[in-house]
PDB file of all heavy atoms in Angstrom:
ATOM      1  N   GLN A 357     -13.164  -2.200 107.144  1.00 74.00           N
ATOM      2  CA  GLN A 357     -13.099  -0.746 107.184  1.00 74.00           C
ATOM      3  C   GLN A 357     -11.648  -0.284 107.110  1.00 74.00           C
ATOM      4  O   GLN A 357     -10.766  -0.894 107.687  1.00 74.00           O
ATOM      5  CB  GLN A 357     -13.686  -0.232 108.493  1.00 74.00           C
ATOM      6  CG  GLN A 357     -15.186  -0.180 108.499  1.00 74.00           C
ATOM      7  CD  GLN A 357     -15.696   0.120 109.879  1.00 74.00           C
ATOM      8  OE1 GLN A 357     -15.041  -0.211 110.861  1.00 74.00           O
ATOM      9  NE2 GLN A 357     -16.847   0.752 109.952  1.00 74.00           N
ATOM     10  N   GLY A 358     -11.462   0.839 106.471  1.00 77.00           N
ATOM     11  CA  GLY A 358     -10.119   1.419 106.440  1.00 77.00           C
ATOM     12  C   GLY A 358      -9.200   0.643 105.522  1.00 77.00           C
ATOM     13  O   GLY A 358      -9.474  -0.483 105.127  1.00 77.00           O
ATOM     14  N   GLU A 359      -8.108   1.286 105.183  1.00 83.00           N
ATOM     15  CA  GLU A 359      -7.173   0.652 104.278  1.00 83.00           C
ATOM     16  C   GLU A 359      -6.204  -0.227 105.033  1.00 83.00           C
ATOM     17  O   GLU A 359      -5.733   0.142 106.100  1.00 83.00           O
ATOM     18  CB  GLU A 359      -6.354   1.747 103.583  1.00 83.00           C
ATOM     19  CG  GLU A 359      -6.700   1.900 102.132  1.00 83.00           C
ATOM     20  CD  GLU A 359      -5.907   3.039 101.552  1.00 83.00           C
ATOM     21  OE1 GLU A 359      -4.753   2.787 101.169  1.00 83.00           O
ATOM     22  OE2 GLU A 359      -6.423   4.167 101.514  1.00 83.00           O
ATOM     23  N   MET A 360      -5.930  -1.382 104.474  1.00 89.00           N
ATOM     24  CA  MET A 360      -4.944  -2.228 105.120  1.00 89.00           C
ATOM     25  C   MET A 360      -3.563  -1.796 104.656  1.00 89.00           C
ATOM     26  O   MET A 360      -3.345  -1.584 103.470  1.00 89.00           O
ATOM     27  CB  MET A 360      -5.192  -3.678 104.746  1.00 89.00           C
ATOM     28  CG  MET A 360      -4.328  -4.623 105.508  1.00 89.00           C
ATOM     29  SD  MET A 360      -4.811  -6.307 105.178  1.00 89.00           S
ATOM     30  CE  MET A 360      -3.240  -6.946 104.655  1.00 89.00           C
ATOM     31  N   ALA A 361      -2.657  -1.628 105.598  1.00 92.00           N
ATOM     32  CA  ALA A 361      -1.300  -1.250 105.219  1.00 92.00           C
ATOM     33  C   ALA A 361      -0.318  -2.189 105.893  1.00 92.00           C
ATOM     34  O   ALA A 361      -0.614  -2.771 106.928  1.00 92.00           O
ATOM     35  CB  ALA A 361      -1.033   0.189 105.642  1.00 92.00           C
ATOM     36  N   LYS A 362       0.842  -2.316 105.272  1.00 94.00           N
ATOM     37  CA  LYS A 362       1.862  -3.192 105.848  1.00 94.00           C
ATOM     38  C   LYS A 362       3.055  -2.367 106.313  1.00 94.00           C
ATOM     39  O   LYS A 362       3.286  -1.280 105.829  1.00 94.00           O
ATOM     40  CB  LYS A 362       2.331  -4.206 104.802  1.00 94.00           C
ATOM     41  CG  LYS A 362       1.337  -5.320 104.557  1.00 94.00           C
ATOM     42  CD  LYS A 362       1.948  -6.452 103.767  1.00 94.00           C
ATOM     43  CE  LYS A 362       2.783  -7.399 104.602  1.00 94.00           C
ATOM     44  NZ  LYS A 362       2.013  -8.115 105.631  1.00 94.00           N
ATOM     45  N   PRO A 363       3.801  -2.904 107.295  1.00 94.00           N
ATOM     46  CA  PRO A 363       5.042  -2.237 107.696  1.00 94.00           C
ATOM     47  C   PRO A 363       6.007  -2.177 106.517  1.00 94.00           C
ATOM     48  O   PRO A 363       5.885  -2.958 105.576  1.00 94.00           O
ATOM     49  CB  PRO A 363       5.616  -3.149 108.784  1.00 94.00           C
ATOM     50  CG  PRO A 363       4.520  -4.026 109.211  1.00 94.00           C
ATOM     51  CD  PRO A 363       3.555  -4.113 108.090  1.00 94.00           C
ATOM     52  N   ARG A 364       6.967  -1.268 106.580  1.00 93.00           N
ATOM     53  CA  ARG A 364       7.983  -1.197 105.532  1.00 93.00           C
ATOM     54  C   ARG A 364       8.841  -2.467 105.561  1.00 93.00           C
ATOM     55  O   ARG A 364       8.979  -3.102 106.613  1.00 93.00           O
ATOM     56  CB  ARG A 364       8.898   0.020 105.751  1.00 93.00           C
ATOM     57  CG  ARG A 364       8.187   1.325 105.959  1.00 93.00           C
ATOM     58  CD  ARG A 364       7.420   1.789 104.737  1.00 93.00           C
ATOM     59  NE  ARG A 364       8.235   1.809 103.527  1.00 93.00           N
ATOM     60  CZ  ARG A 364       7.736   1.641 102.304  1.00 93.00           C
ATOM     61  NH1 ARG A 364       6.454   1.420 102.139  1.00 93.00           N
ATOM     62  NH2 ARG A 364       8.526   1.685 101.275  1.00 93.00           N
ATOM     63  N   PRO A 365       9.429  -2.822 104.406  1.00 93.00           N
ATOM     64  CA  PRO A 365      10.301  -4.008 104.372  1.00 93.00           C
ATOM     65  C   PRO A 365      11.450  -3.948 105.387  1.00 93.00           C
ATOM     66  O   PRO A 365      12.052  -4.969 105.703  1.00 93.00           O
ATOM     67  CB  PRO A 365      10.850  -3.996 102.942  1.00 93.00           C
ATOM     68  CG  PRO A 365       9.838  -3.264 102.156  1.00 93.00           C
ATOM     69  CD  PRO A 365       9.238  -2.247 103.067  1.00 93.00           C
ATOM     70  N   TYR A 366      11.714  -2.751 105.890  1.00 94.00           N
ATOM     71  CA  TYR A 366      12.732  -2.583 106.927  1.00 94.00           C
ATOM     72  C   TYR A 366      12.475  -3.532 108.099  1.00 94.00           C
ATOM     73  O   TYR A 366      13.403  -3.994 108.755  1.00 94.00           O
ATOM     74  CB  TYR A 366      12.690  -1.131 107.406  1.00 94.00           C
ATOM     75  CG  TYR A 366      13.656  -0.793 108.514  1.00 94.00           C
ATOM     76  CD1 TYR A 366      14.972  -0.435 108.219  1.00 94.00           C
ATOM     77  CD2 TYR A 366      13.257  -0.816 109.837  1.00 94.00           C
ATOM     78  CE1 TYR A 366      15.845  -0.117 109.236  1.00 94.00           C
ATOM     79  CE2 TYR A 366      14.130  -0.502 110.857  1.00 94.00           C
ATOM     80  CZ  TYR A 366      15.421  -0.145 110.555  1.00 94.00           C
ATOM     81  OH  TYR A 366      16.289   0.162 111.559  1.00 94.00           O
ATOM     82  N   TYR A 367      11.203  -3.823 108.342  1.00 94.00           N
ATOM     83  CA  TYR A 367      10.801  -4.732 109.417  1.00 94.00           C
ATOM     84  C   TYR A 367      11.483  -6.082 109.262  1.00 94.00           C
ATOM     85  O   TYR A 367      11.932  -6.694 110.218  1.00 94.00           O
ATOM     86  CB  TYR A 367       9.276  -4.876 109.378  1.00 94.00           C
ATOM     87  CG  TYR A 367       8.677  -5.711 110.478  1.00 94.00           C
ATOM     88  CD1 TYR A 367       9.226  -5.740 111.756  1.00 94.00           C
ATOM     89  CD2 TYR A 367       7.528  -6.465 110.259  1.00 94.00           C
ATOM     90  CE1 TYR A 367       8.652  -6.487 112.760  1.00 94.00           C
ATOM     91  CE2 TYR A 367       6.952  -7.213 111.265  1.00 94.00           C
ATOM     92  CZ  TYR A 367       7.514  -7.227 112.511  1.00 94.00           C
ATOM     93  OH  TYR A 367       6.945  -7.976 113.510  1.00 94.00           O
ATOM     94  N   MET A 368      11.574  -6.541 107.971  1.00 94.00           N
ATOM     95  CA  MET A 368      12.228  -7.827 107.707  1.00 94.00           C
ATOM     96  C   MET A 368      13.693  -7.774 108.107  1.00 94.00           C
ATOM     97  O   MET A 368      14.238  -8.731 108.635  1.00 94.00           O
ATOM     98  CB  MET A 368      12.121  -8.175 106.226  1.00 94.00           C
ATOM     99  CG  MET A 368      10.756  -8.688 105.843  1.00 94.00           C
ATOM    100  SD  MET A 368      10.834  -9.812 104.469  1.00 94.00           S
ATOM    101  CE  MET A 368      10.313  -8.747 103.163  1.00 94.00           C
ATOM    102  N   ARG A 369      14.296  -6.609 107.855  1.00 93.00           N
ATOM    103  CA  ARG A 369      15.708  -6.459 108.192  1.00 93.00           C
ATOM    104  C   ARG A 369      15.908  -6.611 109.699  1.00 93.00           C
ATOM    105  O   ARG A 369      16.805  -7.306 110.157  1.00 93.00           O
ATOM    106  CB  ARG A 369      16.200  -5.089 107.726  1.00 93.00           C
ATOM    107  CG  ARG A 369      17.684  -4.946 107.822  1.00 93.00           C
ATOM    108  CD  ARG A 369      18.140  -3.604 107.364  1.00 93.00           C
ATOM    109  NE  ARG A 369      17.664  -3.274 106.004  1.00 93.00           N
ATOM    110  CZ  ARG A 369      18.117  -2.229 105.314  1.00 93.00           C
ATOM    111  NH1 ARG A 369      19.012  -1.433 105.859  1.00 93.00           N
ATOM    112  NH2 ARG A 369      17.660  -1.956 104.123  1.00 93.00           N
ATOM    113  N   ILE A 370      15.038  -5.950 110.464  1.00 93.00           N
ATOM    114  CA  ILE A 370      15.116  -6.035 111.923  1.00 93.00           C
ATOM    115  C   ILE A 370      14.927  -7.475 112.390  1.00 93.00           C
ATOM    116  O   ILE A 370      15.680  -7.989 113.223  1.00 93.00           O
ATOM    117  CB  ILE A 370      14.032  -5.137 112.575  1.00 93.00           C
ATOM    118  CG1 ILE A 370      14.332  -3.666 112.321  1.00 93.00           C
ATOM    119  CG2 ILE A 370      13.910  -5.402 114.062  1.00 93.00           C
ATOM    120  CD1 ILE A 370      15.397  -3.074 113.198  1.00 93.00           C
ATOM    121  N   LEU A 371      13.931  -8.153 111.800  1.00 94.00           N
ATOM    122  CA  LEU A 371      13.673  -9.541 112.166  1.00 94.00           C
ATOM    123  C   LEU A 371      14.878 -10.417 111.862  1.00 94.00           C
ATOM    124  O   LEU A 371      15.279 -11.254 112.687  1.00 94.00           O
ATOM    125  CB  LEU A 371      12.449 -10.069 111.403  1.00 94.00           C
ATOM    126  CG  LEU A 371      11.092  -9.570 111.869  1.00 94.00           C
ATOM    127  CD1 LEU A 371      10.038  -9.881 110.834  1.00 94.00           C
ATOM    128  CD2 LEU A 371      10.720 -10.206 113.193  1.00 94.00           C
ATOM    129  N   SER A 372      15.482 -10.195 110.686  1.00 94.00           N
ATOM    130  CA  SER A 372      16.652 -10.987 110.317  1.00 94.00           C
ATOM    131  C   SER A 372      17.783 -10.745 111.304  1.00 94.00           C
ATOM    132  O   SER A 372      18.502 -11.674 111.690  1.00 94.00           O
ATOM    133  CB  SER A 372      17.130 -10.622 108.910  1.00 94.00           C
ATOM    134  OG  SER A 372      16.055 -10.615 108.025  1.00 94.00           O
ATOM    135  N   LEU A 373      17.920  -9.492 111.700  1.00 94.00           N
ATOM    136  CA  LEU A 373      18.966  -9.139 112.654  1.00 94.00           C
ATOM    137  C   LEU A 373      18.758  -9.882 113.978  1.00 94.00           C
ATOM    138  O   LEU A 373      19.700 -10.423 114.564  1.00 94.00           O
ATOM    139  CB  LEU A 373      18.930  -7.622 112.893  1.00 94.00           C
ATOM    140  CG  LEU A 373      20.258  -6.955 113.223  1.00 94.00           C
ATOM    141  CD1 LEU A 373      21.218  -7.099 112.064  1.00 94.00           C
ATOM    142  CD2 LEU A 373      20.040  -5.488 113.550  1.00 94.00           C
ATOM    143  N   GLU A 374      17.502  -9.907 114.403  1.00 93.00           N
ATOM    144  CA  GLU A 374      17.176 -10.646 115.632  1.00 93.00           C
ATOM    145  C   GLU A 374      17.580 -12.104 115.502  1.00 93.00           C
ATOM    146  O   GLU A 374      18.192 -12.682 116.399  1.00 93.00           O
ATOM    147  CB  GLU A 374      15.661 -10.584 115.893  1.00 93.00           C
ATOM    148  CG  GLU A 374      15.214  -9.343 116.626  1.00 93.00           C
ATOM    149  CD  GLU A 374      13.699  -9.265 116.722  1.00 93.00           C
ATOM    150  OE1 GLU A 374      13.022 -10.297 116.497  1.00 93.00           O
ATOM    151  OE2 GLU A 374      13.183  -8.180 117.010  1.00 93.00           O
ATOM    152  N   MET A 375      17.203 -12.698 114.366  1.00 93.00           N
ATOM    153  CA  MET A 375      17.511 -14.103 114.126  1.00 93.00           C
ATOM    154  C   MET A 375      19.020 -14.335 114.079  1.00 93.00           C
ATOM    155  O   MET A 375      19.517 -15.329 114.577  1.00 93.00           O
ATOM    156  CB  MET A 375      16.882 -14.565 112.803  1.00 93.00           C
ATOM    157  CG  MET A 375      15.411 -14.804 112.909  1.00 93.00           C
ATOM    158  SD  MET A 375      15.033 -16.214 113.972  1.00 93.00           S
ATOM    159  CE  MET A 375      14.286 -15.423 115.354  1.00 93.00           C
ATOM    160  N   LEU A 376      19.727 -13.375 113.491  1.00 93.00           N
ATOM    161  CA  LEU A 376      21.183 -13.481 113.390  1.00 93.00           C
ATOM    162  C   LEU A 376      21.796 -13.516 114.789  1.00 93.00           C
ATOM    163  O   LEU A 376      22.672 -14.329 115.080  1.00 93.00           O
ATOM    164  CB  LEU A 376      21.733 -12.291 112.603  1.00 93.00           C
ATOM    165  CG  LEU A 376      23.176 -12.436 112.109  1.00 93.00           C
ATOM    166  CD1 LEU A 376      23.248 -13.484 111.023  1.00 93.00           C
ATOM    167  CD2 LEU A 376      23.699 -11.102 111.596  1.00 93.00           C
ATOM    168  N   LEU A 377      21.291 -12.645 115.646  1.00 94.00           N
ATOM    169  CA  LEU A 377      21.762 -12.612 117.033  1.00 94.00           C
ATOM    170  C   LEU A 377      21.520 -13.950 117.715  1.00 94.00           C
ATOM    171  O   LEU A 377      22.416 -14.522 118.331  1.00 94.00           O
ATOM    172  CB  LEU A 377      21.026 -11.511 117.816  1.00 94.00           C
ATOM    173  CG  LEU A 377      21.707 -10.156 117.856  1.00 94.00           C
ATOM    174  CD1 LEU A 377      20.810  -9.132 118.511  1.00 94.00           C
ATOM    175  CD2 LEU A 377      23.017 -10.270 118.645  1.00 94.00           C
ATOM    176  N   LEU A 378      20.288 -14.438 117.562  1.00 91.00           N
ATOM    177  CA  LEU A 378      19.920 -15.710 118.175  1.00 91.00           C
ATOM    178  C   LEU A 378      20.817 -16.822 117.623  1.00 91.00           C
ATOM    179  O   LEU A 378      21.327 -17.660 118.368  1.00 91.00           O
ATOM    180  CB  LEU A 378      18.451 -16.017 117.888  1.00 91.00           C
ATOM    181  CG  LEU A 378      17.897 -17.275 118.532  1.00 91.00           C
ATOM    182  CD1 LEU A 378      17.829 -17.120 120.030  1.00 91.00           C
ATOM    183  CD2 LEU A 378      16.513 -17.596 117.976  1.00 91.00           C
ATOM    184  N   GLY A 379      21.024 -16.789 116.279  1.00 90.00           N
ATOM    185  CA  GLY A 379      21.832 -17.800 115.623  1.00 90.00           C
ATOM    186  C   GLY A 379      23.249 -17.817 116.152  1.00 90.00           C
ATOM    187  O   GLY A 379      23.802 -18.878 116.478  1.00 90.00           O
ATOM    188  N   SER A 380      23.840 -16.637 116.269  1.00 90.00           N
ATOM    189  CA  SER A 380      25.225 -16.583 116.748  1.00 90.00           C
ATOM    190  C   SER A 380      25.303 -17.070 118.194  1.00 90.00           C
ATOM    191  O   SER A 380      26.266 -17.734 118.588  1.00 90.00           O
ATOM    192  CB  SER A 380      25.788 -15.167 116.613  1.00 90.00           C
ATOM    193  OG  SER A 380      24.919 -14.245 117.202  1.00 90.00           O
ATOM    194  N   PHE A 381      24.266 -16.766 118.950  1.00 89.00           N
ATOM    195  CA  PHE A 381      24.216 -17.220 120.338  1.00 89.00           C
ATOM    196  C   PHE A 381      24.180 -18.748 120.383  1.00 89.00           C
ATOM    197  O   PHE A 381      24.960 -19.388 121.095  1.00 89.00           O
ATOM    198  CB  PHE A 381      22.974 -16.630 121.011  1.00 89.00           C
ATOM    199  CG  PHE A 381      22.831 -17.001 122.446  1.00 89.00           C
ATOM    200  CD1 PHE A 381      23.647 -16.419 123.409  1.00 89.00           C
ATOM    201  CD2 PHE A 381      21.890 -17.936 122.842  1.00 89.00           C
ATOM    202  CE1 PHE A 381      23.526 -16.768 124.735  1.00 89.00           C
ATOM    203  CE2 PHE A 381      21.759 -18.290 124.170  1.00 89.00           C
ATOM    204  CZ  PHE A 381      22.576 -17.712 125.121  1.00 89.00           C
ATOM    205  N   ILE A 382      23.285 -19.332 119.554  1.00 85.00           N
ATOM    206  CA  ILE A 382      23.161 -20.796 119.524  1.00 85.00           C
ATOM    207  C   ILE A 382      24.464 -21.434 119.068  1.00 85.00           C
ATOM    208  O   ILE A 382      24.937 -22.414 119.647  1.00 85.00           O
ATOM    209  CB  ILE A 382      22.004 -21.221 118.587  1.00 85.00           C
ATOM    210  CG1 ILE A 382      20.665 -20.895 119.262  1.00 85.00           C
ATOM    211  CG2 ILE A 382      22.079 -22.698 118.248  1.00 85.00           C
ATOM    212  CD1 ILE A 382      19.473 -21.148 118.388  1.00 85.00           C
ATOM    213  N   ASN A 383      25.060 -20.838 118.021  1.00 85.00           N
ATOM    214  CA  ASN A 383      26.319 -21.384 117.505  1.00 85.00           C
ATOM    215  C   ASN A 383      27.427 -21.356 118.551  1.00 85.00           C
ATOM    216  O   ASN A 383      28.154 -22.328 118.728  1.00 85.00           O
ATOM    217  CB  ASN A 383      26.768 -20.607 116.265  1.00 85.00           C
ATOM    218  CG  ASN A 383      26.152 -21.192 115.018  1.00 85.00           C
ATOM    219  OD1 ASN A 383      26.018 -22.406 114.913  1.00 85.00           O
ATOM    220  ND2 ASN A 383      25.756 -20.338 114.096  1.00 85.00           N
TER     221      ASN A 383
END
Side-chain angles (χ1 to χ4, degrees):
Chain A
Q357 280 171 332
E359 251 177 84
M360 187 173 125
K362 285 193 80 63
R364 309 294 308 152
Y366 178 85
Y367 184 34
M368 283 209 258
R369 190 180 306 191
I370 292 282
L371 286 166
S372 312
L373 211 63
E374 275 174 16
M375 283 293 111
L376 195 69
L377 267 173
L378 183 68
S380 51
F381 181 74
I382 287 175
N383 272 322

